[in-house]
Amino acid sequence: MDKASLIYPMFLVDGENVREEISSMPGQYRYSTDRMGEKLEELSDAGVSSVMFFGIPKQKDELGSMAYAEDGVVQRAFRKAKREYPNLYLIGDVCMCEYTSHGHCGVLCGQDVDNDKTLAYLAKTAVSQVQAGADMVAPSDMMDGRVAAIRTALDQKGFYHTPIMAYSAKFASAFYGPFRDAAESAPAFGDRKTYQMDFHNRREAFKEVCLDVEEGADIVMVKPAMAYGDLIREIKDGVKVPVASYSVSGEYSMVKAAAASGYIEEESVMCELAASAYRAGTDLYITYFAKELAGCMDAGKIG
Ligand code: PBG
């Protein structure tokens, strides 16, 4: 476990002078780009050098057009962060659900998400993030074929060296509840079970990971982390690329809520959960507790 392996997910909103607490995630905030520096400085002071940006635009539409707009919130954030914090490693979450009016992770055909039609939009989004300054892109949509589509599009623009961290084994999970509140991205109808995975299914997780590696994923991810340690281990043992795991919003909020009620001790549980992910085999750990964990690593409480 070391600080270099921590990734902090951050929510960026349109507007100015915004730093608003996310009600379902105490201690986590949405920032406008003019104030994101406060958090980025805190993180780099703590020794956390990687951040992943999620954009939450004011205007959402059917085709999620602010996901790939040159002046989209996340594109502006990348340009500013690249200029002002050149030592940070910037990762772009690539998905449509934060940008579509219907809240699904792809474009629709009737009441269904159209997998193949979505690929072009995801590729466009990835390219626009990298053009704006993203060092790596992380597709979280779970459409089939998106890693290959993104790789091809990046290569065509000359971004041969920009890696892809694929959310490969991403489950349809109730642990994402607080995130959807934070990103205002709950689907307006239906659910995500046609593209995210069934949590009963171990073998499918491995299959999805192998497909992503074949398509060119440089890092694969298991998500959520807690309750999925068996899969982190299986995938770590089975593929030759680094494995990331994402300790998602629900994991964070459960710890916060239980600690606030006095039922558990926050720091100890946070450390124990992180250690379990690393023990399972995670190489990179995406967590809302990144700064606090870095502090515990410095203090020798975990390592
Ligand atoms: C977007 C996305 C989600 C998360 C990361 N990327 C939400 C979802 O799939 O509904 C969840 C992260 C978290 O819960 O912290 N597709």
Side-chain angles (χ1 to χ4, degrees):
M1 300 172 76
D2 67 52
K3 292 188 284 185
S5 64
L6 295 168
I7 299 172
Y8 179 72
M10 189 162 166
F11 301 101
L12 296 155
V13 290
D14 279 322
E16 272 169 39
N17 196 24
V18 183
R19 178 184 180 268
E20 54 183 9
E21 191 166 27
I22 299 160
S23 57
S24 55
M25 300 176 74
Q28 300 300 316
Y29 298 81
R30 301 186 192 92
Y31 295 89
S32 52
T33 52
D34 57 335
R35 290 195 64 179
M36 69 181 184
E38 297 167 26
K39 189 72 204 184
L40 296 177
E41 261 157 50
E42 241 178 60
L43 290 164
S44 47
D45 289 349
V48 176
S49 53
S50 302
V51 290
M52 182 148 78
F53 284 172
F54 290 90
I56 308 161
K58 234 182 216 129
Q59 280 183 349
K60 307 193 185 211
D61 58 37
E62 280 276 305
L63 298 178
S65 54
M66 291 316 285
Y68 38 87
E70 208 187 317
D71 63 343
V73 58
V74 109
Q75 285 77 3
R76 283 186 281 114
F78 280 128
R79 277 194 292 272
K80 189 172 160 67
K82 192 90 234 159
R83 206 169 47 234
E84 295 175 12
Y85 303 92
N87 294 329
L88 283 177
Y89 192 79
L90 307 175
I91 306 168
D93 179 87
V94 174
C95 191
M96 301 194 72
C97 66
E98 302 98 299
Y99 303 91
T100 50
S101 43
H102 46 75
H104 276 289
C105 301
V107 297
L108 297 182
C109 177
Q111 295 282 92
D112 286 323
V113 172
D114 188 327
N115 185 100
D116 293 4
K117 211 170 133 195
T118 300
L119 300 182
Y121 293 93
L122 296 168
K124 219 160 41 164
T125 301
V127 166
S128 85
Q129 292 186 356
V130 174
Q131 280 170 336
D135 296 301
M136 177 159 84
V137 287
S140 67
D141 52 280
M142 285 302 278
M143 299 301 128
D144 293 330
R146 90 278 205 211
V147 174
I150 290 172
R151 182 74 271 156
T152 305
L154 290 176
D155 289 353
Q156 273 168 0
K157 295 284 181 192
F159 297 120
Y160 311 111
H161 300 298
T162 306
I164 300 173
M165 173 166 71
Y167 287 69
S168 302
K170 177 174 176 180
F171 288 87
S173 171
F175 283 104
Y176 308 150
F179 173 97
R180 292 181 189 169
D181 187 34
E184 295 152 359
S185 64
F189 63 89
D191 54 41
R192 303 210 203 291
K193 290 182 181 166
T194 57
Y195 40 101
Q196 298 181 353
M197 286 188 319
D198 180 345
F199 55 72
H200 299 83
N201 202 330
R202 185 172 63 81
R203 277 182 298 186
E204 190 183 33
F206 198 72
K207 180 179 151 196
E208 289 278 1
V209 164
C210 293
L211 286 171
D212 282 358
V213 172
E214 269 168 41
E215 288 178 30
D218 300 280
I219 300 170
V220 293
M221 191 198 299
V222 177
K223 179 184 172 193
M226 182 182 157
Y228 293 81
D230 56 331
L231 294 174
I232 299 175
R233 168 52 54 193
E234 183 172 342
I235 289 162
K236 173 71 178 169
D237 288 343
V239 297
K240 298 278 180 276
V241 297
V243 177
S245 62
Y246 193 150
S247 178
V248 299
S249 56
E251 302 177 38
Y252 173 84
S253 299
M254 284 199 310
V255 174
K256 286 303 236 191
S261 303
Y263 299 151
I264 60 168
E265 208 275 293
E266 180 171 326
E267 189 183 88
S268 305
V269 171
M270 169 188 85
C271 288
E272 200 171 323
L273 282 173
S276 82
Y278 284 88
R279 196 179 61 234
T282 204
D283 296 296
L284 299 162
Y285 191 48
I286 305 160
T287 171
Y288 302 97
F289 280 125
K291 189 186 84 176
E292 292 75 11
L293 282 170
C296 289
M297 290 177 189
D298 279 342
K301 292 177 181 165
I302 38 167

